[in-house]
Amino acid sequence: MTFISPIFFKKSPALSKHVVCKFELFCLYTILLLTLLFSYQTNATENKVIKLTWAHVYETSEPLHKWALWAASEIEKQTQGRYVIEVFPTSIMGKEAELNQSLSLGTVDIIYTGTSFAGQNYPPIALSELPYIFRDYQHWQAFTDSSLFDEMVAGYKKSTRGNQIVGNNYYGQRHLTSNKPINTPADMHNLKLRVPNATIYKMFPLAVGANPSPIAFSEVYLALQQGVVDAQENPLPTIKAKKFYEVQKYISLTGHLQGSILSVTSNRLWESLNTDDKKIFIHVFKAAANGVSSDTRKSELALIDWFKAQGTTILTVDRNLFREKTLSQHAQVKHALGAEFYDRLQNIQ
């Protein structure tokens, strides 16, 4: 390197000014280049595609799956492609208990789960599984939009160390099918009623004097056909899908249970979202849950006429007669699930 003496600059002011200008330009270009590189790296990080997994156990024909696909598409669109969600239906990623475990482990990002499963981590949220805890569909809707539900969401989040409920989806009312007309609780005395093998499903038949008979779901059609049991209970879409109407003459619209399916994200996913993305996720999941609930409600109302067209007799019963019998049974679990929450839920108008 050639050393240029400061004396030389004094003797050559023009050259000195020229060198200084070149140095200033070099600094300016360096700063500009570093700024561009930083900007590129920042944009690359912001535009990184994050792939998420949404797993559930329901059929592809059900509103739950239809609206999961819609939500996945909407989130991808509203985040400019930064989040891409792949939906895995029909237990491809495991049964419901396994999906709940996977969510807590962070190996899946989003799931649908029933409130009975969520209640294993946070008991009060299972209150919605009690027979006749809701007066009607409107009561269920009011609960979903209530501060009580928000408190349960917060309690569940704390109990699961961060898993976030982002939607409550209506899954339909459960009704009775039978080969004799059931109009009042007295008509159910000693009736052999097939129910799932869970305590909460036995509460209704025991309250009205029936005999709950747990039988595997896959064996229900044959059990009805052969008279092993007299009746069964399920939502109308399930009664249609499993063709129970072929071996049962009557459907009594008891509406004794109104199922809820929760949309839940993992703690790992939720904590990774910035404030704006959380708003997008909440908005989209709530809209999807509203879509599921609306479609399910329309479907079960439309199916009444469909069953009539198949020759099934539809009986519109006085639900209050069944409800009064059943509410007394709630005392045995009320305190275990939260007496204050129970009373507040009952009082929602």
Side-chain angles (χ1 to χ4, degrees):
M1 177 182 289
T2 304
F3 177 73
I4 301 176
S5 170
I7 298 174
F8 180 77
F9 286 142
K10 290 179 181 179
K11 292 180 179 180
S12 307
L15 180 59
S16 172
K17 184 177 181 181
H18 176 71
V19 171
V20 170
C21 287
K22 293 186 84 173
F23 179 73
E24 288 177 344
L25 282 172
F26 172 76
C27 291
L28 180 63
Y29 285 135
T30 301
I31 292 170
L32 180 61
L33 179 61
L34 289 172
T35 301
L36 289 172
L37 283 171
F38 179 76
S39 176
Y40 173 79
Q41 291 174 345
T42 300
N43 288 335
T45 300
E46 289 179 350
N47 294 326
K48 179 182 177 183
V49 176
I50 299 173
K51 295 183 178 180
L52 302 175
T53 300
W54 187 345
H56 66 79
V57 301
Y58 302 98
E59 298 294 328
T60 56
S61 60
E62 296 191 57
L64 286 163
H65 183 67
K66 166 191 166 183
W67 284 97
L69 295 177
W70 176 86
S73 173
E74 196 67 17
I75 285 173
E76 182 175 354
K77 182 169 66 176
Q78 292 193 29
T79 61
Q80 292 76 50
R82 288 182 291 108
Y83 288 94
V84 175
I85 302 174
E86 189 170 2
V87 183
F88 295 89
T90 61
S91 302
I92 291 173
M93 300 282 290
K95 296 180 180 179
E96 197 158 354
E98 295 167 334
L99 295 184
N100 276 270
Q101 292 174 352
S102 297
L103 188 77
S104 294
L105 292 172
T107 52
V108 299
D109 303 293
I110 308 161
I111 66 169
Y112 281 137
T113 188
T115 48
S116 57
F117 281 92
Q120 293 174 14
N121 289 300
Y122 182 63
I125 210 160
L127 279 170
S128 62
E129 291 288 310
L130 291 176
Y132 289 118
I133 191 72
F134 297 110
R135 296 182 298 274
D136 47 33
Y137 176 65
Q138 288 70 31
H139 187 189
W140 180 90
Q141 285 181 305
F143 164 69
T144 298
D145 295 331
S146 71
S147 59
L148 173 59
F149 182 70
D150 292 340
E151 288 179 41
M152 289 183 175
V153 168
Y156 172 83
K157 183 176 183 178
K158 183 178 180 180
S159 295
T160 57
R161 298 183 180 179
N163 292 345
Q164 180 70 43
I165 294 171
V166 287
N168 192 26
N169 306 268
Y170 178 66
Y171 194 54
Q173 297 177 349
R174 297 177 80 95
H175 304 290
L176 293 176
T177 69
S178 61
N179 280 322
K180 74 168 190 174
I182 296 173
N183 290 293
T184 68
D187 296 328
M188 293 187 66
H189 185 67
N190 287 332
L191 188 79
K192 288 182 292 183
L193 175 64
R194 182 272 167 183
V195 295
N197 191 18
T199 301
I200 206 161
Y201 289 104
K202 297 176 184 177
M203 191 176 293
F204 170 61
L206 289 173
V208 294
N211 296 321
S213 301
I215 293 176
F217 191 48
S218 59
E219 300 173 7
V220 175
Y221 185 97
L222 191 60
L224 293 169
Q225 188 179 49
Q226 296 181 345
V228 176
V229 290
D230 305 311
Q232 69 84 45
E233 49 84 58
N234 262 298
L236 294 181
T238 304
I239 294 169
K240 178 186 177 184
K242 295 300 180 181
K243 301 184 184 297
F244 296 147
Y245 62 92
E246 292 182 347
V247 289
Q248 300 269 265
K249 296 178 182 178
Y250 299 93
I251 297 177
S252 297
L253 301 177
T254 52
H256 49 279
L257 280 173
Q258 300 196 64
S260 297
I261 305 298
L262 302 170
S263 308
V264 191
T265 71
S266 69
N267 172 60
R268 183 179 63 83
L269 167 60
W270 193 250
E271 292 305 315
S272 72
L273 299 175
N274 62 40
T275 301
D276 290 338
D277 286 340
K278 283 180 180 178
K279 290 179 181 177
I280 290 172
F281 273 64
I282 288 173
H283 174 75
V284 170
F285 275 104
K286 186 172 183 179
N290 288 338
V292 171
S293 301
S294 177
D295 283 0
T296 301
R297 184 61 176 162
K298 289 176 183 176
S299 174
E300 63 182 2
L301 292 175
L303 277 174
I304 292 174
D305 288 334
W306 186 89
F307 282 116
K308 288 179 180 178
Q310 311 311 307
T312 306
T313 301
I314 305 295
L315 301 174
T316 302
V317 304
D318 183 351
R319 292 183 185 176
N320 286 326
L321 297 176
F322 294 87
R323 191 167 188 263
E324 288 170 6
K325 289 274 188 181
T326 307
L327 289 182
S328 62
Q329 300 294 311
H330 290 182
Q332 57 187 292
V333 295
K334 175 180 176 178
H335 293 282
L337 298 180
E340 180 192 353
F341 283 159
Y342 177 93
D343 291 336
R344 287 173 61 189
L345 197 160
Q346 288 286 287
N347 291 326
I348 290 175
Q349 299 300 319

